[in-house]
Amino acid sequence: MSLMDESATALSRLIASRQVSPSEVMAAYLRRLPVLNDEINAIVSPRDPDELMAEARALDDQPPMGWLHGLPLAVKDLVAVRGLRTTYGSPLYRDHVPDTDDLVAARLRVAGAIFTGKTNTPEWGHGSHSFNPVFGVTRNPYDLARTAGGSSGGAAAALAARLVPVADGSDMMGSLRNPAAFCNVYGFRPSWGLVPADAEGDTFMATLATDGPMGRSVEDVARLLETLAGENPAVPFGQPRATYADRLDINLRGLKVGWLADWGGAYPCKPGILDQCALGLKVLEELGAHVEPLAPPFPAEELWQAWIHLRGFLNAGSKGALWADAEKRALLKPETVWEIEFGRTVSAAQVYAASVTRSRWYAKAAELFARYDLLAMPSAQVWPFPAEWRWPQVINGRAMDTYHRWMEIVVPVSLIGLPSLAVPCGFGAAGLPTGMQLIGTFGSDAKVLTIGEQYHRATRWPERRPPAIESREAEHLPA
């Protein structure tokens, strides 16, 4: 077994106790990268191997800077990293090398991580399929003919392939949750504001997206959340840093879970997905929880209209200057052009109406959480689909009217900033993974992670390694 099979927490402890050195871990990473990444394409803009080994050796005899001391991490390509090519998946930034770190990269660096490259993402993070004209498509380690999801698809695929021990991601419309389901790992969207944004552009109205952690264990997710969280004085609505990883024990007896399923059919799911989620719910019941099916608590179409108006409005604002330049517009992906052009049609009255819908849904969700400790839904409506598709256009005979309607099931969480842990639910008949969301009330991040940890101990789905990866390892890597 490679050192890269270990969890980030285990590697951190091995390095801290000097049973393993950072250079040994880096050597294990560098052995795997060319063997596995060429087909998966999860890690892009890889750094020079000699530079990485030199950086790791320099840490061998140093006391740990933080819990990530000496661990090889690749940062999502939507995050600027000082001195490392950061493209945002766009040909407009094909050769862009930032002079400074974004906040996520800065916090990972302070915790001791060694940056090995970036993880692939769709252009501008638009869409839950990680392909772009700069680097191409990221493939699913469980089936190389299929997508790894997105926009944190590179991160999820790298985790599943044991190319990183833990990973950062971001989530506006399921970008931490959908790829986690597709790649049999954990993705956690924290309560909005817990992981602060950078002080760029609008930081008052843009409250739909957040950065967050991904991992092969809930403990790793909790530890990385501790690293990423904490106030940024330069942006509003901050929340204080807290601890999560050292308080993961709980008895689930008596826990009340509300199962929202496919929202009364409003969110069509491919055959087998609800069945796999039912198996996940059964695990919670065996741990002592009571699961109760719920009727749709709010009109799904109202949530969708609020969502697309707010999302379009924000994208038109943040990307409008690119669209206004005809030469740059020609290099934008069609989905990004759609977002901007739709957003330019949104009126002030529509923005206000969307905010009212959002407020009403938050109040209704509060009523649910007065009765239930947790809500649950699928993390994805479809199985990992063919890598050559742009996006699924039909689900169960229902046509998808936008490029992102097929992942609408994540909207109820994103619209009101709730914490949501995407947990694996095993594999369907075709051997493909899926998962479900464990959703808590705002600010209940610690509770959601603690429940997720009990689920992980009972299932340990991410320990089921991708067969294609095992085959490549056996053929090309020493035992």
Side-chain angles (χ1 to χ4, degrees):
M1 187 173 85
S2 167
L3 282 172
M4 295 301 292
D5 284 287
E6 299 283 359
S7 69
T9 299
L11 284 176
S12 178
R13 289 169 178 159
L14 289 169
I15 289 174
S17 63
R18 297 189 179 274
Q19 297 178 65
V20 168
S21 67
S23 62
E24 289 176 295
V25 177
M26 184 59 69
Y29 162 77
L30 290 172
R31 283 193 296 269
R32 297 180 70 80
L33 185 68
V35 172
L36 302 180
N37 195 56
D38 285 353
E39 287 190 287
I40 298 169
N41 194 34
I43 295 179
V44 296
S45 299
R47 289 181 58 199
D48 179 76
D50 291 337
E51 290 181 4
L52 289 172
M53 281 305 302
E55 191 170 330
R57 289 190 187 104
L59 297 179
D60 281 353
D61 296 322
Q62 293 186 20
M65 300 167 55
W67 84 282
L68 295 176
H69 179 83
L71 297 191
L73 261 64
V75 183
K76 187 173 179 178
D77 205 25
L78 298 182
V79 175
V81 176
R82 184 182 75 237
L84 185 55
R85 182 166 66 149
T86 300
T87 74
Y88 313 102
S90 168
L92 293 169
Y93 286 83
R94 182 183 298 272
D95 300 313
H96 174 56
V97 179
D99 295 324
T100 58
D101 287 331
D102 279 347
L103 186 66
V104 164
R107 290 185 172 180
L108 294 173
R109 195 186 295 274
V110 167
I114 299 177
F115 298 141
T116 62
K118 308 302 289 293
T119 54
N120 203 23
T121 183
E123 185 180 348
W124 303 114
H126 291 161
S128 194
H129 180 20
S130 293
F131 70 95
N132 60 66
V134 182
F135 300 113
V137 64
T138 295
R139 296 178 178 273
N140 194 312
Y142 288 92
D143 185 339
L144 296 174
R146 296 179 180 268
T147 179
S151 63
S152 306
L159 280 166
R162 277 63 175 169
L163 292 173
V164 292
V166 72
D168 72 285
S170 56
D171 187 313
M172 180 184 242
M173 193 177 176
S175 292
L176 282 159
R177 292 164 284 164
N178 203 59
F182 279 12
C183 292
N184 189 40
V185 298
Y186 295 95
F188 184 60
R189 180 189 164 104
S191 293
W192 190 86
L194 184 59
V195 177
D198 287 273
E200 297 178 359
D202 168 52
T203 58
F204 273 88
M205 297 182 70
T207 57
L208 298 180
T210 179
D211 293 295
M214 305 181 80
R216 294 191 301 270
S217 75
V218 176
E219 183 178 18
D220 283 356
V221 167
R223 291 196 186 282
L224 191 60
L225 180 62
E226 292 175 1
T227 300
L228 300 177
E231 292 176 281
N232 174 4
V235 300
F237 315 125
Q239 297 185 52
R241 191 184 303 274
T243 59
Y244 302 99
D246 294 330
R247 46 185 181 130
L248 289 175
D249 291 319
I250 191 176
N251 188 324
L252 299 191
R253 191 160 302 282
L255 186 82
K256 295 181 180 179
V257 179
W259 169 233
L260 290 163
D262 58 0
W263 211 270
Y267 305 142
C269 294
K270 282 287 190 178
I273 286 179
L274 294 177
D275 295 334
Q276 289 301 130
C277 290
L279 295 178
L281 293 170
K282 185 177 179 182
V283 171
L284 293 176
E285 289 179 322
E286 290 170 348
L287 292 171
H290 173 71
V291 178
E292 180 179 328
L294 296 181
F298 201 92
E301 188 60 25
E302 289 187 33
L303 297 178
W304 177 249
Q305 291 302 317
W307 175 258
I308 60 171
H309 283 98
L310 292 172
R311 179 180 166 103
F313 165 76
L314 292 171
N315 276 311
S318 63
K319 302 290 186 295
L322 298 178
W323 181 90
D325 184 317
E327 291 185 5
K328 292 180 178 178
R329 186 192 312 169
L331 294 175
L332 294 176
K333 68 185 293 189
E335 293 84 350
T336 298
V337 172
W338 183 90
E339 288 283 356
I340 296 168
E341 292 182 346
F342 177 79
R344 285 168 56 85
T345 70
V346 176
S347 68
Q350 287 173 316
V351 171
Y352 181 77
S355 189
V356 170
T357 296
R358 195 182 188 188
S359 302
R360 289 170 47 230
W361 165 226
Y362 189 95
K364 183 62 179 179
E367 293 179 12
L368 292 178
F369 286 116
R371 295 161 46 205
Y372 299 98
D373 299 290
L374 199 71
L375 301 177
M377 302 173 68
S379 295
Q381 293 170 242
V382 300
W383 300 97
F385 52 85
E388 63 270 18
W389 292 9
R390 290 189 75 89
W391 42 275
Q393 299 194 25
V394 177
I395 302 178
N396 299 348
R398 186 183 304 180
M400 301 291 103
D401 56 359
T402 71
Y403 79 96
H404 49 6
R405 189 81 180 228
W406 62 274
M407 49 187 297
E408 187 180 359
I409 204 163
V410 300
V411 165
V413 164
S414 294
L415 195 61
I416 56 176
L418 302 181
S420 178
L421 178 66
V423 301
C425 284
F427 299 80
L432 297 172
T434 193
M436 68 177 174
Q437 303 175 71
L438 303 182
I439 305 160
T441 189
F442 186 85
S444 67
D445 302 71
K447 182 177 182 179
V448 172
L449 289 169
T450 300
I451 295 167
E453 171 64 9
Q454 313 319 305
Y455 179 90
H456 173 70
R457 293 176 187 177
T459 57
R460 300 193 177 274
W461 280 118
E463 294 178 9
R464 177 166 165 175
R465 295 156 54 85
I469 299 304
E470 286 194 319
S471 175
R472 293 283 293 176
E473 289 174 323
E475 183 179 354
H476 296 284
L477 291 172

